Amino acid sequence: ETGVTQSPTHLIKTRGQQVTLRCSSQSGHNTVSWYQQALGQGPQFIFQYYREEENGRGNFPPRFSGLQFPNYSSELNVNALELDDSALYLCASSVRGGMGNEQFFGPGTRLTVL
Amino acid sequence: LAKTTQPISMDSYEGQEVNITCSHNNIATNDYITWYQQFPSQGPRFIIQGYKTKVTNEVASLFIPADRKSSTLSLPRVSLSDTAVYYCLVGDGGADDKIIFGKGTRLHILP
C-alpha cells in the first residue's frame, strides 16, 4: 500500500504565472483535500474533491481550482500567482463515509512566488 | 463547525508525560475528535481519534470527558523527537465536513 505522494517537491514561480501541483491518493481512498499552509500557521482548507467533483471549499478565490481524476489522483491549479501564495501546499486523502476525519497527508509542495 | 482552542506552546523534558488539552465547547453529536502531529516541512500525521471516554494506541492516549467539550492528548515518556506541532480537530467526516486546523500547540521537548 503506497501513501500519498505529491509533485513537485519544490517550485519557484514569478508573480502572474500559473502553477499546477499534483497529488496521488493513498490506495483505496476516494476523497482528496487540498490545504495551504503559510509559515507558522496551521493548514488552511482550500477545497475537497469526491467522485471528481468539488465538494466543499474554503475561503479561497476562484483562481484556485482543482481536478480529481477517475483514479482519485488530483491537481491543484493556481492562476495569476501572487506573492502571498508562497506556502506549503498539502494534499490529503481519505475515505468518504469513514469514521471522523482521519486524513492521510502527503509531504507537500513548497511553492515560492517571486 | 466546532471550533477548537489549544495552548499555543508547551515545554517539557525527555521522559516526562505530556498532556495537551483542547477545548471544543460546540462539538456536535456526530463529531469525532482527531489529533495530528506535524514536523517542520512535512504534512500532518494522524495520531489518534476518539468519540468518548478513553482511546489508547501505541503512540498516545486520548481522554474525553462525558460532556465531550474538551479532550486531552497524553504522550507518555516523551523524547526529543516528539518536538512538533500538535493539532486538535473535530468533525464527522461527512459530505459537508470541512477540516479546520487551528494554530495548534507547539511542543518543545528539552533534554
Side-chain angles (χ1 to χ4, degrees):
Chain A
E1 180 180 283
T2 58
V4 178
T5 60
Q6 293 186 243
S7 62
T9 306
H10 296 86
L11 198 56
I12 298 176
K13 292 285 189 178
T14 57
R15 195 170 49 183
Q17 286 189 309
Q18 178 267 343
V19 68
T20 297
L21 310 181
R22 294 179 175 83
C23 171
S24 290
S25 299
Q26 183 161 315
S27 177
H29 288 187
N30 55 19
T31 303
V32 64
S33 303
W34 285 92
Y35 297 83
Q36 179 195 68
Q37 186 173 27
L39 207 59
Q41 303 295 315
Q44 299 298 307
F45 176 76
I46 301 175
F47 45 53
Q48 183 181 86
Y49 277 82
Y50 172 65
R51 290 186 175 178
E52 303 176 50
E53 292 190 0
E54 186 180 294
N55 177 68
R57 189 179 184 94
N59 188 28
F60 281 82
R63 59 189 185 84
F64 285 78
S65 63
L67 287 171
Q68 185 184 30
F69 300 100
N71 65 354
Y72 303 127
S73 64
S74 177
E75 287 182 356
L76 165 66
N77 299 290
V78 187
N79 293 322
L81 285 167
E82 301 176 359
L83 298 179
D84 286 348
D85 295 333
S86 294
L88 180 68
Y89 287 86
L90 296 162
C91 161
S93 72
S94 58
V95 178
R96 173 59 57 82
M99 186 176 70
N101 50 25
E102 181 178 356
Q103 296 197 324
F104 294 81
F105 284 81
T109 294
R110 173 72 62 187
L111 173 65
T112 301
V113 182
L114 303 176
Chain B
L1 298 168
K3 181 180 176 181
T4 60
T5 304
Q6 306 173 231
I8 293 175
S9 65
M10 294 179 65
D11 290 340
S12 188
Y13 292 92
E14 278 192 295
Q16 298 292 307
E17 177 184 80
V18 171
N19 296 310
I20 305 174
T21 297
C22 177
S23 296
H24 28 80
N25 291 318
N26 297 322
I27 189 169
T29 303
N30 294 332
D31 285 346
Y32 285 79
I33 300 155
T34 310
W35 285 80
Y36 288 87
Q37 175 194 55
Q38 187 178 27
F39 298 112
S41 297
Q42 294 186 25
R45 182 178 72 103
F46 172 88
I47 300 176
I48 197 167
Q49 180 175 261
Y51 183 80
K52 62 180 180 181
T53 62
K54 177 184 175 182
V55 180
T56 298
N57 61 23
E58 65 278 5
V59 177
S61 294
L62 179 59
F63 297 92
I64 306 168
D67 66 6
R68 304 201 326 124
K69 293 184 182 299
S70 67
S71 59
T72 299
L73 174 71
S74 180
L75 304 173
R77 297 180 298 283
V78 294
S79 63
L80 296 177
S81 63
D82 291 316
T83 294
V85 179
Y86 292 81
Y87 296 97
C88 163
L89 286 75
V90 295
D92 62 8
D96 59 352
D97 190 30
K98 297 181 180 62
I99 310 300
I100 305 297
F101 283 81
K103 293 188 176 181
T105 297
R106 193 169 297 275
L107 177 64
H108 188 204
I109 304 301
L110 304 166

